[in-house]
Amino acid sequence: MASSSPSPTRSSAAAAGGGVERRLILPLLLAAAALLLLSLQTLTSSLSSLSSRTPTLTGHNLAPTPWHPFPRPNPNPNPNPNLSLLRCAYLSCPLSSAVARRKIPSSSAPDPARPRPACPGFFRAIRRDLAPWRRARISAALLEDARRRAAMRVVVAGGGRRLFVDLYYACVQSRALFTVWGILQLMRRYPGILPDADLMFDCMDRPAINRSDYRSDVGGGIDDPNAPIPPPLFRYCTTKDHFDIPFPDWSFWGWPEINIKPWNEEFRSIKLGAQAVKWKKRAKTAYWKGNPNVESPVRTALLSCNDSKTWGARIMRQDWGEESSSGFQKSKLSSQCNHRYKIYAEGYAWSVSLKYILSCGSLAFVVDPQYEDFFSRGLVPKENYWPVSSADLCRSIKSAVDWGNAHPSQAEAIGKRGQKLMQDLDMDRVYDYMYHLIVEYSKLLDFKPTPPPSAQEVCVDSLLCVADEQQRQFLERSAASPSPTYPCTLPPPSFDSERRLSKRLQKVRSGIREERTRQPESAA
């Protein structure tokens, strides 16, 4: 009878085979683990290389520039920033956007029955800025032409509820982060009523779309009808010689690199500091404090005017590197309102300091401005500020100081009107300007805005995720809430009012030129 138990030979062979298998398992597992570790290292290295070469919303220019004197900080203290970058960029928004869309109740929409204030007069500049495309409109090809000069493409989609960003190069400091945050807050303030739009945006200082290179449907460019149409490019400022479209700058939501708080908060702080020193007790001199090392001839010339007795001016050099290391103890804007006169001098281009200078209630001396931001078109010389010539700068400052000290009531009144203008320019009006600008711009598009495949969806969660701790604090402090009312009413096109304003400004400027031609004679 055959036995059912295995033969000794087969058992020994099986045991030997099992031993061999067991001996092979450990090396195989170790090899697999090593291969997995190598793959992870390769992936991490690739991600690190990719993140170092890919522009990000928290990215910085690789080399220091005159307007960026700070060392590049660690953008993310997370021990594994590359995986964090993936999590922030690709996992946060799809979920949070879907939740946000479900959470927006109809009751959060503005109430159409509530009265809407009229927008300030300078809102008329929106139509003037967009006039070059009124007839020809904006095609996808024209927008692609603007990409050559853009730092990023910003696409509003989904009925004004989703935002996509395609980054082309890293902006200075946190400009891109705070600019995109501002657009997200606009969408939170007016949920569901912002139209879809496709914008090319540059975050550098100087305008790039020269009028002399393009034709315009409304004049101001080349007369040749075969000349190219200007590409639509948004940035923070423009000039009378450029077609760039001004947009509210990043500092309205805060400037963490130099410890400037969000606009509403900073204005209240400056106004409170201004109230601490009455006009009559303020120093009877003109004051300027800033960085002269920004390739600005005007700021360089200002340094030679630092003589209170000869020129009636006190000029202070700001070392932002030193201020940054000392916690900005000597650069608080609220403590710089103890002079009757404050000087505004443009830097590499326009300067965000204009709104802070006007906020003091001191008489602002504006030195021959070349650049315009979105709100400075509302300033009228000798009504909100005092014009100062850059041709003979020190003598012009001295003449303005002498006039102010001889007419203290008038000088104080002009300073107060400038401060009132900044008080009226609260974040409600900033968001309203952004809203009307995007609405009017979207009407000119002859295609449906669609985010390109390379664009990333951004949302509040993803921006807070990639921001460092200081940036996150500023972003959260500048968060908007849904508005109970619709935006202010955009002034209708009025050629008569534009003509009256133009004549008024021409008259004032003509008077200024006459005064300046008389100054050398009186000085002699």
Side-chain angles (χ1 to χ4, degrees):
M1 181 176 177
S3 172
S4 61
S5 60
S7 67
T9 304
R10 283 183 305 198
S11 298
S12 299
V20 172
E21 290 176 358
R22 283 194 295 272
R23 286 195 299 273
L24 288 175
I25 286 175
L26 183 58
L28 287 173
L29 288 175
L30 290 174
L35 184 61
L36 177 61
L37 180 61
L38 180 62
S39 299
L40 287 174
Q41 289 177 339
T42 303
L43 176 61
T44 301
S45 176
S46 298
L47 285 172
S48 180
S49 175
L50 178 64
S51 65
S52 68
R53 290 182 286 107
T54 302
T56 67
L57 287 170
T58 56
H60 296 245
N61 279 7
L62 298 179
T65 61
W67 57 93
H68 176 217
F70 307 102
R72 178 177 178 174
N74 180 8
N76 195 331
N78 189 293
N80 199 335
N82 300 306
L83 295 180
S84 176
L85 179 64
L86 285 179
R87 175 176 58 82
C88 294
Y90 296 104
L91 301 182
S92 298
C93 286
L95 177 61
S96 63
S97 293
V99 172
R101 288 193 293 274
R102 289 198 302 270
K103 282 185 175 179
I104 296 177
S106 58
S107 59
S108 67
D111 182 1
R114 298 188 65 163
R116 301 167 60 182
C119 296
F122 70 84
F123 276 52
R124 287 193 177 91
I126 290 175
R127 293 193 178 94
R128 191 162 66 246
D129 291 335
L130 299 176
W133 304 277
R134 187 181 300 156
R135 294 178 186 170
R137 295 174 62 79
I138 298 171
S139 64
L142 196 60
L143 197 70
E144 190 63 27
D145 186 28
R147 175 178 174 171
R148 294 185 295 113
R149 300 176 179 86
M152 58 184 171
R153 182 177 189 172
V154 180
V155 182
V156 180
R161 298 180 189 274
R162 303 180 71 183
L163 190 66
F164 295 83
V165 177
D166 198 12
L167 291 159
Y168 304 134
Y169 69 80
C171 294
V172 173
Q173 298 174 357
S174 54
R175 290 186 182 189
L177 177 67
F178 278 72
T179 299
V180 172
W181 174 264
I183 299 174
L184 279 173
Q185 300 316 300
L186 171 66
M187 295 165 65
R188 292 181 73 178
R189 181 164 177 79
Y190 295 121
I193 69 170
L194 195 68
D196 291 354
D198 197 338
L199 298 78
M200 289 293 178
F201 203 102
D202 188 30
C203 58
M204 299 306 284
D205 296 55
R206 289 180 176 171
I209 312 301
N210 294 307
R211 286 178 178 262
S212 59
D213 295 336
Y214 301 96
R215 72 177 172 90
S216 170
D217 289 337
V218 292
I222 301 175
D223 292 333
D224 182 2
N226 296 318
I229 300 171
L233 186 65
F234 289 79
R235 70 169 64 251
Y236 306 120
C237 70
T238 191
T239 78
K240 61 182 179 59
D241 297 320
H242 291 85
F243 284 126
D244 301 69
I245 307 167
F247 194 86
D249 70 77
W250 74 95
S251 67
F252 281 94
W253 295 272
W255 191 352
E257 286 85 358
I258 58 175
N259 201 37
I260 290 182
K261 298 181 286 292
W263 170 233
N264 277 356
E265 190 178 341
E266 193 67 61
F267 174 79
R268 288 192 297 267
S269 176
I270 295 174
K271 186 177 181 181
L272 190 62
Q275 292 171 345
V277 184
K278 300 298 182 183
W279 175 272
K280 292 181 179 179
K281 294 186 177 181
R282 295 186 186 186
K284 299 179 181 180
T285 50
Y287 179 82
W288 182 83
K289 185 175 184 179
N291 179 15
N293 303 319
V294 290
E295 300 181 11
S296 168
V298 170
R299 290 191 178 184
T300 301
L302 262 180
L303 298 177
S304 62
C305 305
N306 186 27
D307 190 323
S308 299
K309 292 184 179 179
T310 304
W311 305 119
R314 187 182 181 197
I315 310 301
M316 305 290 290
R317 183 188 291 268
Q318 178 78 295
D319 186 337
W320 282 117
E322 181 181 337
E323 281 297 305
S324 177
S325 61
S326 63
F328 305 98
Q329 295 301 314
K330 299 178 182 178
S331 59
K332 292 181 179 178
L333 298 176
S334 58
S335 64
Q336 298 180 28
C337 298
N338 49 5
H339 292 256
R340 290 187 178 183
Y341 317 104
K342 291 200 68 176
I343 300 171
Y344 170 73
E346 293 175 335
Y348 185 72
W350 110 110
S351 170
V352 303
S353 64
L354 177 59
K355 56 182 176 291
Y356 307 122
I357 289 171
L358 290 166
S359 297
C360 265
S362 303
L363 175 54
F365 290 171
V366 177
V367 183
D368 287 340
Q370 177 183 353
Y371 301 90
E372 301 175 340
D373 61 17
F374 80 102
F375 75 84
S376 64
R377 278 84 69 91
L379 296 176
V380 178
K382 293 194 175 182
E383 183 172 315
N384 313 111
Y385 70 92
W386 194 265
V388 168
S389 173
S390 59
D392 191 358
L393 184 58
C394 298
R395 195 177 302 279
S396 187
I397 290 173
K398 171 64 173 171
S399 176
V401 169
D402 290 344
W403 178 89
N405 289 335
H407 306 84
S409 297
Q410 293 173 254
E412 181 180 7
I414 296 174
K416 292 297 182 184
R417 286 196 292 268
Q419 185 185 55
K420 179 62 166 55
L421 198 69
M422 294 302 96
Q423 181 170 317
D424 293 340
L425 185 71
D426 57 12
M427 287 306 296
D428 291 349
R429 296 291 80 81
V430 174
Y431 285 125
D432 284 0
Y433 191 94
M434 295 165 63
Y435 170 82
H436 284 298
L437 178 57
I438 292 176
V439 167
E440 296 301 313
Y441 172 81
S442 68
K443 295 176 182 177
L444 301 175
L445 300 177
D446 68 358
F447 62 94
K448 179 177 175 56
T450 304
S454 54
Q456 254 177 215
E457 184 172 7
V458 296
C459 56
V460 168
D461 291 341
S462 68
L463 293 198
L464 292 177
C465 181
V466 298
D468 63 29
E469 182 59 33
Q470 185 185 31
Q471 292 168 346
R472 190 180 302 114
Q473 291 178 9
F474 278 71
L475 295 174
E476 290 175 340
R477 283 156 62 178
S478 63
S481 300
S483 173
T485 63
Y486 276 87
C488 63
T489 304
L490 190 64
S494 175
F495 295 106
D496 289 339
S497 61
E498 291 278 348
R499 193 179 298 111
R500 286 195 300 270
L501 177 60
S502 178
K503 287 183 177 179
R504 179 182 171 194
L505 292 176
Q506 287 177 3
K507 183 177 180 180
V508 171
R509 288 165 181 159
S510 176
I512 293 170
R513 284 193 294 270
E514 291 178 5
E515 289 177 7
R516 289 177 178 177
T517 55
R518 289 197 300 267
Q519 282 177 8
E521 297 175 3
S522 60

